[in-house]
Amino acid sequence: MHVLILWHNTGTAGSSTPDPEYDGIHRYDTEATWTSNEEKDLVRKIDLRIMLYMCWMFFWLRLDGASLGKALADNFLKDVHATTGDYNLSVTLQSVLAVAVEIPAQMIMRRVGAEYWLPGQMLCWGAISVGHAFVRTPKAFIAVRCLLTVFTAGWTPALVSYISEFYTTRELGVRMSWLYACLGISDILSAFVAFGLLHLRGRLGLPGWSWMFIVEGILTIITGIVTLFYLPASPTQSPAFLRFRSFSDREEVIMVNRILRDEPAKGKTHRHSVVHLSDVRRALHYSLWPLYIIGLVTLVPPGTTSQYFSLTLRSIGFDTFRTNLLTIPSSFLLIVNMLWLSLGVKKWGHRAFACFIGELWIFPNLVALAYMPKNASKWAKWAASALTIAYPYWHPVALAWTASNSNDTRTRSISVAIYTSMVSLSGVIASNIYVESDAPDCAPPSLSNIFLFSNANTDYHIILRSPDRRGNKILVGISGLSLAIFLFTHIFYKYLNHRKDRAWRKLSIEQQQDYAKFNKTKGPDRLDFRYLY
């Protein structure tokens, strides 16, 4: 009978010795033991010491990124003499830049270290956010939006790479859901923040949106400075600028060994190791492409509905005040659905089926949007749209899934960047689904100028021909395709694991042990690695 020594087995004495350059090598101990209470206390401390602060940082990423949407309601485009075409051009350029910058950003991050890269990017995008306040021409508007993309692209993959050094595979997905729950919280709170700051219009001769960008940008810069002094460089190292200990010797021993026993590949590289072309090739491994396709295709249906949710509500007859209020329920329900989905993945481990359930939530709502009677009330249309974008958000699950199936620290940072780039491209697809003939049931970008320059106290009713709902019918088809993609991914990874199991069982126990100790193969190609599905 052969013994399986797998990379994702937990609770055994690690399957391979970490490299001498690994940061926590001085805490590595194959004989180390600890109680379940000690581990629970440690995870709770990591949650409070690291994860909550990561959520705070992520909150500002979303708030600064979403500020433009609030500025648009305050006549931003009119004040900077920009047209809807300028706005759409900026969105397209941002998407292209996001894809182009993701991988180079990860290469730089690996060189300088996440403890410097994460706060450094915050300082840069905070300064650029302040710069938005003084934009007065279309060219300047496009320039600052592109700069903002350059200094925010790669930040999320870097954050995922950093967090994964503290948590096991089972724990990572739930923590990722915490991060993305901050997006919903940020969306809700930003509406109230914008309400107060936009009322400063006229102070010192500045429009209200200028004050919003200034205040939010300054607070982001302050957060970035604090991060430089607060964020520990690694599980066994102190923060970059303050040399106080984050964890005790005992806690570091438990932290390092439980992580390496869960995923020994984390002990194969130094956190400042350079990313090579071979790492990029491993990130392009055929086994990871189903996850990249998930990022590209499956987020298009809810993404399209979400992008133009506010404009759609205006087009079917809701005024500005009601439109802003009617976006809150979907944001709140999105958080609830995302958290229970992530907890379900942690408990049962079936990632593909969890995502499948999320898509099943979306599908009937899209069918309702595409085929409900033309004389249906605006409240029925709001309900179907709101439920579509309040789906169990599987992006955090897929992000952690991509990181885990990369099976190599350097490869992980690149693969997560590729997945994030695919999500950015899905946004480009989503922005081109709706056309003029879909109005008024959904408002395409070319109609957005009708609402961007509207009076907040005016209730608009756009008189157009009956919609053919072409866009929503396309989304129904993409949603059906997404269901098939999730099923295929489950079957695909299960088949790959079965094939590896057969090859592994052909080895003797001595050969298995020698392979685990001495074989230099990295990434998903390792015979003792099993894919999560």
Side-chain angles (χ1 to χ4, degrees):
M1 179 177 178
H2 293 172
V3 178
L4 288 177
I5 305 176
L6 303 181
W7 290 77
H8 283 148
N9 277 359
T10 305
T12 61
S15 63
S16 62
T17 303
D19 290 347
E21 63 178 10
Y22 171 60
D23 298 75
I25 189 66
H26 59 295
R27 300 299 188 196
Y28 176 68
D29 183 1
T30 58
E31 303 300 324
T33 59
W34 54 87
T35 66
S36 59
N37 286 335
E38 282 184 298
E39 185 169 8
K40 288 179 182 177
D41 290 341
L42 174 61
V43 172
R44 188 179 301 112
K45 182 174 181 178
I46 297 173
D47 288 340
L48 295 173
R49 174 73 175 81
I50 305 296
M51 199 61 224
L52 286 183
Y53 193 79
M54 295 291 102
C55 290
W56 174 246
M57 294 169 68
F58 210 71
F59 172 87
W60 288 105
L61 175 70
R62 176 64 173 183
L63 193 65
D64 289 338
S67 294
L68 180 62
K70 304 299 183 295
L72 291 176
D74 194 43
N75 292 330
F76 175 83
L77 291 183
K78 184 177 180 180
D79 289 343
V80 302
H81 310 291
T83 65
T84 304
D86 296 321
Y87 173 74
N88 292 336
L89 176 61
S90 74
V91 172
T92 301
L93 290 175
Q94 284 180 266
S95 298
V96 173
L97 276 174
V99 173
V101 172
E102 287 285 357
I103 292 179
Q106 296 316 298
M107 292 180 172
I108 298 173
M109 185 275 292
R110 294 295 306 181
R111 170 69 75 173
V112 303
E115 71 274 20
Y116 296 107
W117 182 251
L118 293 174
Q121 279 192 286
M122 290 195 74
L123 293 173
C124 290
W125 90 58
I128 294 168
S129 181
V130 173
H132 276 65
F134 306 100
V135 167
R136 294 296 181 270
T137 66
K139 290 183 178 179
F141 159 64
I142 294 174
V144 294
R145 296 307 295 174
C146 289
L147 282 174
L148 186 67
T149 299
V150 168
F151 288 104
T152 54
W155 195 81
T156 299
L159 193 70
V160 174
S161 180
Y162 177 80
I163 293 172
S164 67
E165 297 301 314
F166 292 87
Y167 291 104
T168 64
T169 302
R170 291 183 68 252
E171 296 164 347
L172 184 59
V174 174
R175 272 64 188 185
M176 291 306 304
S177 71
W178 292 5
L179 287 179
Y180 282 90
C182 291
L183 298 189
I185 295 172
S186 180
D187 288 341
I188 294 171
L189 293 181
S190 64
F192 296 102
V193 172
F195 179 82
L197 293 177
L198 292 178
H199 276 78
L200 295 177
R201 172 175 281 272
R203 301 288 179 91
L204 300 180
L206 295 175
W209 54 263
S210 286
W211 286 109
M212 181 180 63
F213 282 121
I214 290 171
V215 172
E216 292 179 359
I218 290 175
L219 291 175
T220 301
I221 291 172
I222 293 172
T223 301
I225 294 172
V226 172
T227 303
L228 283 170
F229 291 88
Y230 181 83
L231 203 63
S234 74
T236 60
Q237 296 190 18
S238 303
F241 287 93
L242 284 182
R243 297 301 173 184
F244 63 85
R245 293 285 300 278
S246 301
F247 301 95
S248 67
D249 291 348
R250 174 64 176 169
E251 288 170 338
E252 288 182 1
V253 169
I254 299 173
M255 188 158 34
V256 166
N257 287 281
R258 83 184 195 99
I259 291 296
L260 293 184
R261 294 175 190 183
D262 172 73
E263 194 175 353
K266 291 178 180 177
K268 294 301 181 181
T269 54
H270 189 275
R271 61 190 175 86
H272 285 178
S273 58
V274 179
V275 173
H276 301 290
L277 184 59
S278 59
D279 300 311
V280 178
R281 285 198 299 266
R282 280 194 294 275
L284 293 173
H285 194 272
Y286 73 91
S287 64
L288 295 174
W289 276 96
L291 295 171
Y292 300 154
I293 293 173
I294 284 174
L296 177 66
V297 176
T298 65
L299 292 171
V300 170
T304 302
T305 309
S306 178
Q307 278 190 34
Y308 302 108
F309 186 41
S310 296
L311 295 176
T312 297
L313 294 183
R314 294 298 311 279
S315 72
I316 61 178
F318 291 105
D319 60 26
T320 300
F321 177 73
R322 287 183 180 179
T323 293
N324 288 330
L325 288 181
L326 289 174
T327 62
I328 294 176
S330 55
S331 297
F332 176 77
L333 187 56
L334 176 73
I335 296 173
V336 174
N337 282 335
M338 177 175 57
L339 290 176
W340 73 250
L341 185 75
S342 297
L343 289 172
V345 169
K346 181 182 178 182
K347 184 175 181 179
W348 294 296
H350 295 290
R351 289 154 180 80
F353 281 141
C355 297
F356 184 88
I357 290 172
E359 192 65 50
L360 276 180
W361 174 290
I362 292 173
F363 187 79
N365 294 304
L366 288 176
V367 171
L369 287 172
Y371 296 103
M372 71 171 54
K374 294 179 180 179
N375 60 351
S377 73
K378 62 183 181 181
W379 289 103
K381 296 173 183 177
W382 164 77
S385 296
L387 286 173
T388 298
I389 62 179
Y391 68 110
Y393 189 41
W394 61 75
H395 175 56
V397 173
L399 199 59
W401 193 4
T402 303
S404 298
N405 278 2
S406 302
N407 191 43
D408 179 71
T409 304
R410 290 198 300 257
T411 303
R412 173 180 292 118
S413 61
I414 301 300
S415 62
V416 171
I418 294 174
Y419 171 82
T420 306
S421 297
M422 291 296 182
V423 173
S424 298
L425 289 176
S426 76
V428 177
I429 298 173
S431 64
N432 288 280
I433 297 293
Y434 289 155
V435 294
E436 284 82 353
S437 61
D438 292 311
D441 282 359
C442 46
S446 57
L447 295 179
S448 60
N449 61 315
I450 295 175
F451 312 107
L452 293 177
F453 306 123
S454 64
N455 185 314
N457 297 318
T458 303
D459 191 2
Y460 285 90
H461 297 271
I462 308 303
I463 306 301
L464 297 169
R465 68 182 178 85
S466 296
D468 60 22
R469 299 176 182 174
R470 164 190 168 277
N472 285 330
K473 291 175 183 177
I474 291 175
L475 294 181
V476 170
I478 297 176
S479 182
L481 175 62
S482 300
L483 290 170
I485 289 172
F486 289 129
L487 287 177
F488 169 80
T489 304
H490 174 85
I491 296 170
F492 178 70
Y493 284 134
K494 196 170 184 178
Y495 165 74
L496 292 183
N497 284 349
H498 176 69
R499 193 173 66 178
K500 286 190 175 189
D501 285 340
R502 284 188 303 174
W504 185 259
R505 284 193 293 266
K506 291 179 181 179
L507 302 178
S508 65
I509 295 177
E510 292 76 14
Q511 288 174 322
Q512 291 175 2
Q513 293 172 341
D514 288 343
Y515 184 95
K517 291 180 180 179
F518 305 117
N519 191 284
K520 299 300 182 182
T521 303
K522 295 182 179 180
D525 278 328
R526 285 195 64 89
L527 198 57
D528 52 0
F529 168 73
R530 298 296 179 269
Y531 296 99
L532 298 177
Y533 58 85

